[in-house]
Amino acid sequence: DAGVTQSPTHLIKTRGQHVTLRCSPISGHKSVSWYQQVLGQGPQFIFQYYEKEERGRGNFPDRFSARQFPNYSSELNVNALLLGDSALYLCASSSPNRGWNTEAFFGQGTRLTVV
Amino acid sequence: ILNVEQSPQSLHVQEGDSTNFTCSFPSSNFYALHWYRWETAKSPKALFVMTLNGDEKKKGRISATLNTKEGYSYLYIKGSQPEDSATYLCAFMRATNKLIFGTGTLLAVQP
């Protein structure tokens, strides 16, 4: 079984540009969450989607948006990129059918560099 | 503001040493506490999900305990091996279902 896959693995963008990051969850997982990890810090929660609906949003500006598709894959969009958006973006999927306290399965992340 | 604190920040031990890390979290509105292991160039992998006060979980040489009343969890590694070298992250979950991570403990095990 394939794990959580994210694309692209690395990305370099210029300030002011827009970026779209993609995530495919484990087959059967209907919940997808996005996290931002800046060097020296733990991952910070950005969004959670379940059954195509937003269930939670972290403390990030409106430049960050996301959506989930009927096949449960997800996109994270960031507009008007700033240098401070440079980070590793992690996607995690889970299967809340057995309760919300089940483990999250993470992808390897997308390394975004804004120059 | 919810803070999850982990200590120490980093740890260098010799192969065969036993070690332990601490995770402190808010004791109110507790839902679950997760431990993840994150090896370089790989994705974080779940070690334990703990929900009940007094929970103790074990996987091979690694075990964890949970105290929700005082807001802490310990992770123990018995007889560390070089392949245990990784960053160990704990994450606190409230009913909002989002994971709030600590900054992690970086473990380096020297052969």
Side-chain angles (χ1 to χ4, degrees), chain A residues 35 37 40-45 48 55-59 88 90 99-108, chain B residues 9 31-32 34 36 38 41-46 49 51 89 93 95-104:
Chain A
Y35 293 83
Q37 201 238 353
Q41 296 183 19
Q44 300 287 312
F45 174 78
Q48 184 192 46
R55 278 190 56 99
R57 170 188 270 265
N59 190 22
L88 180 70
L90 290 165
W100 285 101
N101 58 357
T102 54
E103 66 187 277
F105 293 81
F106 284 86
Q108 286 195 268
Chain B
Q9 261 190 317
Y31 195 73
H34 293 217
Y36 289 86
W38 195 357
K42 295 187 178 179
S43 55
K45 296 273 194 297
V49 177
T51 56
L89 290 164
M93 178 185 271
T96 50
N97 307 318
K98 68 181 182 183
L99 290 171
I100 302 162
F101 283 89
T103 53

Side-chain angles (χ1 to χ4, degrees), chain A residues 92-113:
Chain A
S93 75
S94 61
S95 177
N97 296 342
R98 294 177 290 136
W100 285 101
N101 58 357
T102 54
E103 66 187 277
F105 293 81
F106 284 86
Q108 286 195 268
T110 294
R111 172 72 63 188
L112 172 66
T113 303

Side-chain angles (χ1 to χ4, degrees), chain A residues 50-94:
Chain A
Y50 175 66
E51 289 279 19
K52 293 158 282 180
E53 304 234 334
E54 183 184 301
R55 278 190 56 99
R57 170 188 270 265
N59 190 22
F60 281 80
D62 291 345
R63 299 184 295 108
F64 288 76
S65 63
R67 54 181 176 166
Q68 187 177 33
F69 298 98
N71 66 353
Y72 304 111
S73 67
S74 178
E75 278 182 359
L76 176 70
N77 296 285
V78 188
N79 291 324
L81 284 166
L82 303 173
L83 294 179
D85 295 330
S86 296
L88 180 70
Y89 289 85
L90 290 165
C91 171
S93 75
S94 61

